[in-house]
Amino acid sequence: MKTVKDLTAEEKLRLICGKDSWHTVDLGGKIPAVTMTDGPVGLRVVCKRDEVSGKEDSLPAVAYPAIHMLANSWNPAVARKMGECLGDDALERGVDLLLAPGVNIKRDPLNGRNFEYFSEDPYLAGTMAESYIEGVQSRGVGVCLKHFCANNSEYDRFHQTSDVDERTLREMYYVPFEIACKAKPVSVMCSYNRVNGTYAAEYKKGFDVLRDEFGFDGAIFSDWGAVRDRTRSAKAGLDIEMPFNEGNYRKLCKDYAEGKLSEEELDACTQRVLDLAYRLKGMSKDEKPVTSEQQRLQAAKEILSESIVLLKNDGILPLAKGQKLFMCGVFAKAWPALLRGGGSACVRWTEENFDITAALQKRGFDVDYESAFFIKDVLSWQNARTAVLKAGRGDVNIVCVGTGEEIEYESGDRQSLRLPAVQEQAILDTAAQNPNTVVVLFAGSAIDVSAWIDQVKAVVYAGFTGEGGDEVVADILTGKINPSGKLSETFPLSIEDVPAANTYKHAGVTRYQDGLDVGYRYYDTYEVPVAFPFGHGLSYSSFEYDNLKAEQKGGTVKVMFEVENTSERAGKETAQVYVRECAPFVYRPLKELKGFCKEEIGAGKRKKFCVELPMRAFAHWSTATDRWEVTEGDYEIMVGSSSADIRLRARLTLPEIQL
Ligand code: BGC
């Protein structure tokens, strides 16, 4: 095993700059190289670049539900399972390091990459990512946790600075990284933006927090092309620049020769790259995939079955046997580009089949289908009046709408929170013919549903499904699967209600003047009505909560309660534990998620839930003392079925604690 002492200065300088887009250098076979690939929901092993379009093509790989859907499962065991499967995918392709997951907070619902991220809530995002990372790394494959940090929109991403105060960083934007670091990710990737004026690639203060406070012991990568000055970034502790950049490398060598980068600084980065290469080699030694591709395709469906969210149901779902169905919308018989976001998280599916009509026919339903409209094309709907007539003739009209990679993609933000006009029109026109209308929504993030929500009886949020999604959607519609997903982000009534949409964003500066008021923290504190709240999701079962007890024992508070399934079918319920400081001396949002628990409960059965909260759950980051503090006083524990549906409350008094 080589150490920095075995390398020449030239070798060290070369090692801290990647070899190409997907490998580190091996210094002529002297040390192991690292092979890496995207991404969060399936492997994107780039195989060639189309010479005309310049577009990259990748090898086929199992496409799992996108991360926004995984988060809707609220089930860390499901996240771990997805991680294990991705680990096996990587082992099969000889990949050492997976460039995932991304844990950036959904501050702005228009962020073009929201489909790649977990949540508007840092605890949920971090907790799900922690399990995902454990899953991948348990298979001997490393992860690269990204994008550090405060990278919450794609708008002008190479230039804009996220102007954000320390408390907000600590309580919102660092937290998912902090929690995910408990799973010991072998690497972290910086983001493109600046943080308070400093490029994320040179954000020493943040890197020090990762290493000294969050226990991160791996290597820090640049995002692809995020380095402006390799010397400054190396001095800050950024270990590897990716991909190789000839100009940056030459300048680095020159700066080193002129003494602008010290030996110690170069050695620190070099040693961490060496450690990473040997660590990954050690992790994957003797590892072989334990699942077949078929099993992983099956797992993709199981993950989705916990993630689809039933947003609205006026009793029309599940569909009854013998009902005649009319279905419209290209999303019903779709191709992958409609069911995923674009950019580095894009996966080339192993099979391109997706047909909900066929899946419903297989389940004994009579389905008439018209594609009727395309994504944005207004003319397509004007030419499809037959669809309106047919909608009136079926027992149930199912409209499949969504976005896909044309609307949601890396490097740009969405232009609107609403569906394209043609799709809204299709819902309204067919629903006018048939009040028994169900909308199935294939989108990677929140949608403004206000133009049509009152005209339809049910809405199923299928999101970016991944492979096998047609079968799972059919099972949800027909009731074979009882929906149990809950929203990991609020669906606001309109973009005007979103704090991030109303903050200063100009001349390369994005002011995070919304502070802690992100997502439900804002809507609930300021009593702003929303379409569907954070944590919301219906089931074909019904649940009642009682017997809440909250007991402090040493460093934790045990929250115990019971949930009864009052229906005649088994179902899964995710109970959410929110905390409120009753009389704070610093600003605190009305409620903050600090724990959750998802359990399957048999028909008519009752289950005991227990969630343990550490003292940190009650603390705020004090900018007066630069540490976490629990203020002496009363705290309310709120247990709910969503952030807006609090079923049980308890109070407790805590002493002053400095953490
Ligand atoms: C993205 C990263 C990705 C990298 C490699 C960048 O543009 O921001 O998330 O891992 O490219 O494809």
Side-chain angles (χ1 to χ4, degrees), residues 22 38 44 99 113 146-147 189 192 223-224 344 410:
W22 311 112
D38 289 309
R44 188 178 72 99
L99 303 172
R113 289 186 92 165
K146 60 195 190 181
H147 306 89
M189 187 191 295
Y192 286 124
D223 198 344
W224 270 226
S344 58
E410 178 182 336

Side-chain angles (χ1 to χ4, degrees), residues 21 55 80 87 111 135 154 165 169 219 228 242 267 285 304 315 432 472 528 548 550 573 607:
S21 287
K55 271 195 172 175
R80 186 182 164 107
N111 178 10
E154 290 292 282
D165 66 78
L169 277 172
R228 300 310 149 101
M242 289 297 294
D267 281 357
K285 189 167 171 281
L304 186 66
V472 184
V528 177
L548 172 62
E573 171 69 339
K607 214 162 212 175

